[in-house]
Every structure is written in structure tokens, then in C-alpha cells.
Amino acid sequence: MLSGFEHLQFLPVVLCCFALIAFITSYILAVHEKDVSALWPYISDAGAYPPQSCIFGQFLNFAAVLGFVVIFIRYKHVKDGSDPGMLLVRRLNYWSLWAGGLSCLGMSMVANFQVINSLPVHMVGAVLVFALAMVYCWMQAIVSHKMTSQATSSTLSSVTRFVLSVLVTVFFVTTFVAGGVSEMERAKKGKDNTAGAIYDLKWNETDPGYQVHLASTFSEWLMSLCFLVYFLTYFREFQKITVFIQLRPKDAQIISPGFFSDAPI
């Protein structure tokens, strides 16, 4: 029995909606509750305290699961649509599945381990989601370029993914380098957020390293938006495919012949 699923192009759209709900709702509530500065906190800082942490965690978990579904469908699409002799494409496609899957795991860790409750675990999740998502973007950008000859990807989508990969890389480096520098500047003036102190979510204009901190937080938001746009580039390709799930009984003798019907549901 085959069960068919169409309209797959809406999966990246729903994924982006879930992520944006998590980002924007938690930001609005956090600013309203004065948990963070209005200009411009880290995404996960905005979702650190309840009630916004509940919304942030729930919708980011939804996005993580749906993100893996999108990544897996993309993997199967390339695998089934590529020529067996395209070894580079097949290897990159395979390893991009792992990179993307671990990135989704990191997203779930960020959602479930708030920065104020478990900073080390949260930071491991953040590195997983951002670093491996960046690797995934580059791998699939190369795959898209190679697959234009197979009519699986268009030249426009290939170029768009390369541009987004460059932007993600720039924002990734800026986020982590500027974030580290700003924390060191802040710590020098006696406002240390490491070494057993409570993580301070609020930054003021008078804090040392404030401008560098803003560069880091802006870059994180822009990087996250680039990731979402990257998933949206799958819209046209997912429009052209249908996913089928095939069920096979363990004991065919006790199953009626109609069970093997190939008609989609």
C-alpha cells in the first residue's frame, strides 16, 4: 500500500512560520516584561524567562522537527534524482543529511535548555545549530550547482543558495567573534557573566563592549533569517515532487490482496 503526500512546498513555509512565531513572540513578551533590552537581544535571551520561554520552546521544537523533515525530503529528492556516477553530489548530499539533522538537534537543545538554566548545554546547542547549519548550506549549494544539469535545481536557486551561504558565513563569524569580544570587555569592568555568576540578559548603552554586542546580536538575527530564506528556496523544487510511504506486511499470507494496492491515499 502506498500513501502519497503532495503540496510539499508548504513545508518550508510552515517551518519558517513556526520559527518566526518563536522569535517574534518571545521578543515582544520579553521586552514588555523588561527581561531584555529592546535593542537588540540575542534570540534565545528573549526566550529565557516564562511565559515567553514556553512559547519559544514549543514553537522552536516544532521548527526543529519540521526542519529535519524538510532536510530529509531534500536528501531523498537529490538521491533519487542524481546520476549514480555523480559521486561528489551523492557524498555531499549524504553528509549534508547528517549536518542538517544534528543542526536540528541543536535547535531542540536551544529550545529546551534556556540560557539562564543551563548555559553550557545551551551554548553547545547554539554551536550545533549555527555551525552545522552553515555547513549544510554550503553542501547543498554545491549540490544544487551540480544538479542543474539534471534539472533538479535551477540556476537561480543555485546562485541564491551560494549567496545565502556567504551571508550566513559572514554573520556566523561576526556573531561569535563580536559576542566573545563584548563579553570580555564587559568582564574587564567587573560585570562578569561567566565564572559562576548569573547570566545577565540586559545590556545598557553604558556597558563596556555595548556596540560590539549589538554587532553580534544583529548578526545572529540576520543569520537566522538567512537560514529561513534558504529553506524557502526549496519551494519550487518541492512543488514538483510527491512523497510516498510504502507499507509491507511481515506476514503476507494473513493480509488481503487489496493491501498491496498502489493507489495513493
Side-chain angles (χ1 to χ4, degrees), residues 115-117 119-120 183 187 190-200:
V115 67
I116 61 171
N117 296 324
L119 180 59
E183 289 294 339
K191 204 169 184 179
D192 193 352
N193 296 327
T194 58
I198 297 175
Y199 184 83
D200 191 353

Side-chain angles (χ1 to χ4, degrees), residues 54-147:
C54 305
I55 299 171
F56 180 78
Q58 185 68 72
F59 280 94
L60 206 59
N61 277 318
F62 285 155
V65 172
L66 202 54
F68 181 73
V69 172
V70 170
I71 287 167
F72 185 78
I73 292 174
R74 171 63 180 176
Y75 161 76
K76 286 291 293 180
H77 185 208
V78 172
K79 181 182 178 183
D80 295 344
S82 60
D83 188 279
M86 303 177 73
L87 296 180
L88 177 61
V89 167
R90 287 178 167 264
R91 288 172 181 169
L92 286 175
N93 190 46
Y94 173 77
W95 287 111
S96 71
L97 175 65
W98 279 96
L102 290 173
S103 176
C104 292
L105 173 62
M107 191 188 307
S108 181
M109 292 171 65
V110 167
N112 297 319
F113 296 89
Q114 283 80 23
V115 67
I116 61 171
N117 296 324
S118 185
L119 180 59
V121 178
H122 182 90
M123 292 307 298
V124 169
V127 171
L128 279 177
V129 64
F130 289 131
L132 292 183
M134 178 182 64
V135 172
Y136 174 84
C137 288
W138 278 109
M139 286 181 170
Q140 281 299 324
I142 297 171
V143 167
S144 299
H145 173 68
K146 297 291 185 181
M147 290 298 292

